[in-house]
Amino acid sequence: MSVVVPAYNVEPYIIKCLDSIVNQTLSDIEIIVVNDGSIDGTERLVSEFIVAHKNVNIQLVGQSNEGLGAARNTGIINATGEYISFVDSDDWIDADMLKEMYTIASADKADVAICNYRKVYPSYVETIKGANIKELYLDDPLRISKYLLSLKIPTSACNKIFRLGFLKSENFKFSIGKWYEDIPLTVLLVKAKSIAIVDRPFYNYRQRPGSIMKSTHPCMLNKKSLIIAVINDLKLIPLISDQLTQEFQFFFLNTYVLQLINQIALYGNFEKNKLAKSIIADGDTKRFYKKFLLNKCISYRDRIGLLLIKVNIGLYLFMYRKYKGRISD
């Protein structure tokens, strides 16, 4: 099993992350730490950790700062295990994660295994289903597509293990230089011959202020090109695209419009909502908005939200922030 740990300026967190990996109950592990041009003490701490754990197969690979996607790609190039996993350097994993997932994936001869995960906030922990479905084994591309596009299977890389040969046979690479580098995983997962579901939480996802999901920036708009690329790629798969019209609409309106505008409402200055207005004014947004009220994949609540966004974006931003309890007295 190969474990890839991209690391950039994570001096306060990297040791807890590495400790959780070297203490796995699965013994045959190689750890590949990709130092993505850190300018703090991350590289020094990792080097000291390697010296202190000479009996563990740990590689430290250095590169200039190219971002999370590029660091993961470097890890894939250097990996040699049958399966590969990705652990972000400010997160940590439970001691039996890799053994349990490898055991199930190898027994099922699955290309991918998915587990549940925890969002760890400073004052509480939220457990999230890695696949909010009843099945524990999937091998139907159409069904997998529907689950992914309806967001019942989140595309995060970190709560999954992948057969390394499968990644390489598909020539898969994470997107470079863009936010939301996990989105291309949607197409990869559809191409998997089989996916095993492990209905236990093993991955601990630290929630930090200032992270991409808790900030606003014009780079957010890059998400659209990744979403459109996924939709276009899936349309090329025979016997699938004709049956996914409503799912494509849901996927775009939820992951691009609702998610980004909600993010702007919570973490941006909604009185200067140029980002939100640019999302609504976009030609692709207008195209996917057509007849959205008739789409049964979109919940009644989301249809109301999308309608309000279209009619009065400022009012929606205000009401959503108030609903989430983030307006100060």
Side-chain angles (χ1 to χ4, degrees):
M1 172 75 73
S2 300
V3 184
V4 176
V5 183
Y8 175 70
N9 290 352
V10 283
E11 186 175 357
Y13 313 109
I14 186 64
I15 296 302
K16 180 170 184 175
C17 174
L18 294 178
D19 274 336
S20 74
I21 301 171
V22 299
N23 289 315
Q24 289 292 298
T25 54
L26 183 67
S27 56
D28 188 10
I29 295 175
E30 67 172 2
I31 303 170
I32 304 165
V33 182
V34 182
N35 179 32
D36 189 43
S38 297
I39 56 175
D40 65 353
T42 296
E43 184 175 13
R44 172 182 55 82
L45 288 177
V46 174
S47 297
E48 293 172 355
F49 189 90
I50 292 174
V51 171
H53 297 79
K54 293 180 179 179
N55 61 327
V56 182
N57 183 2
I58 309 176
Q59 303 176 46
L60 174 58
V61 181
Q63 65 181 37
S64 59
N65 180 229
E66 299 179 60
L68 179 59
R72 286 176 175 171
N73 292 339
T74 298
I76 294 172
I77 292 171
N78 286 273
T80 62
E82 180 184 1
Y83 283 87
I84 185 171
S85 66
F86 302 91
V87 180
D88 286 350
S89 49
D90 52 351
D91 300 336
W92 67 97
I93 58 179
D94 290 359
D96 53 348
M97 172 176 170
L98 298 181
K99 184 175 182 178
E100 291 291 328
M101 294 186 74
Y102 173 77
T103 300
I104 291 174
S106 58
D108 290 341
K109 297 182 180 179
D111 285 332
V112 183
I114 303 173
C115 70
N116 302 337
Y117 61 98
R118 305 179 188 93
K119 287 186 175 181
V120 182
Y121 296 87
S123 58
Y124 69 98
V125 176
E126 179 184 9
T127 300
I128 308 292
K129 285 277 192 179
N132 193 18
I133 59 177
K134 295 180 180 179
E135 298 99 313
L136 296 178
Y137 183 81
L138 297 170
D139 60 2
D140 176 17
L142 178 60
R143 186 178 293 273
I144 293 171
S145 299
K146 285 178 176 289
Y147 285 152
L148 287 163
L149 293 172
S150 63
L151 308 183
K152 291 182 179 179
I153 300 180
T155 55
S156 169
C158 291
N159 68 321
K160 300 172 178 65
I161 66 170
F162 305 84
R163 188 184 298 278
L164 183 59
F166 167 58
L167 288 188
K168 292 188 173 182
S169 67
E170 294 296 334
N171 195 29
F172 176 79
K173 291 181 175 62
F174 289 94
S175 59
I176 299 175
K178 294 184 178 181
W179 292 10
Y180 314 104
E181 59 285 319
D182 286 344
I183 289 176
L185 281 172
T186 305
V187 177
L188 179 75
L189 292 171
V190 172
K191 293 180 178 179
K193 291 182 179 178
S194 60
I195 298 175
I197 311 299
V198 184
D199 193 20
R200 288 180 58 190
F202 291 122
Y203 191 91
N204 299 284
Y205 175 27
R206 187 192 302 271
Q207 304 298 293
R208 288 199 287 153
S211 67
I212 288 175
M213 301 306 295
K214 292 181 172 57
S215 59
T216 59
H217 190 276
C219 286
M220 295 170 66
L221 303 185
N222 291 337
K223 190 177 189 182
K224 188 192 80 166
S225 64
L226 297 173
I227 294 168
I228 293 294
V230 165
I231 292 172
N232 288 340
D233 285 346
L234 291 180
K235 285 182 177 180
L236 297 176
I237 300 177
L239 305 178
I240 288 183
S241 61
D242 292 343
Q243 303 182 58
L244 296 174
T245 302
Q246 290 198 339
E247 284 81 3
F248 287 147
Q249 184 181 40
F250 169 88
F251 185 63
F252 184 93
L253 292 178
N254 191 292
T255 56
Y256 185 62
V257 178
L258 279 175
Q259 288 183 14
L260 291 194
I261 287 180
N262 290 348
Q263 190 172 334
I264 291 168
L266 294 179
Y267 306 108
N269 182 350
F270 64 79
E271 293 179 353
K272 299 178 181 178
N273 49 52
K274 292 182 180 179
L275 277 177
K277 289 181 177 179
S278 67
I279 292 170
I280 296 305
D282 179 82
D284 287 310
T285 298
K286 291 179 179 179
R287 175 166 60 92
F288 278 100
Y289 246 101
K290 291 179 181 179
K291 298 182 180 180
F292 76 95
L293 289 172
L294 302 178
N295 191 330
K296 295 180 180 179
C297 293
I298 304 174
S299 68
Y300 178 77
R301 183 191 66 181
D302 285 350
R303 275 180 271 177
I304 295 299
L306 288 164
L307 182 61
L308 182 55
I309 287 171
K310 188 175 183 180
V311 173
N312 191 328
I313 182 65
L315 179 60
Y316 178 88
L317 292 170
F318 175 82
M319 291 182 64
Y320 188 81
R321 181 179 282 195
K322 187 173 183 180
Y323 170 72
K324 289 294 186 177
R326 293 178 179 266
I327 292 183
S328 58
D329 294 333

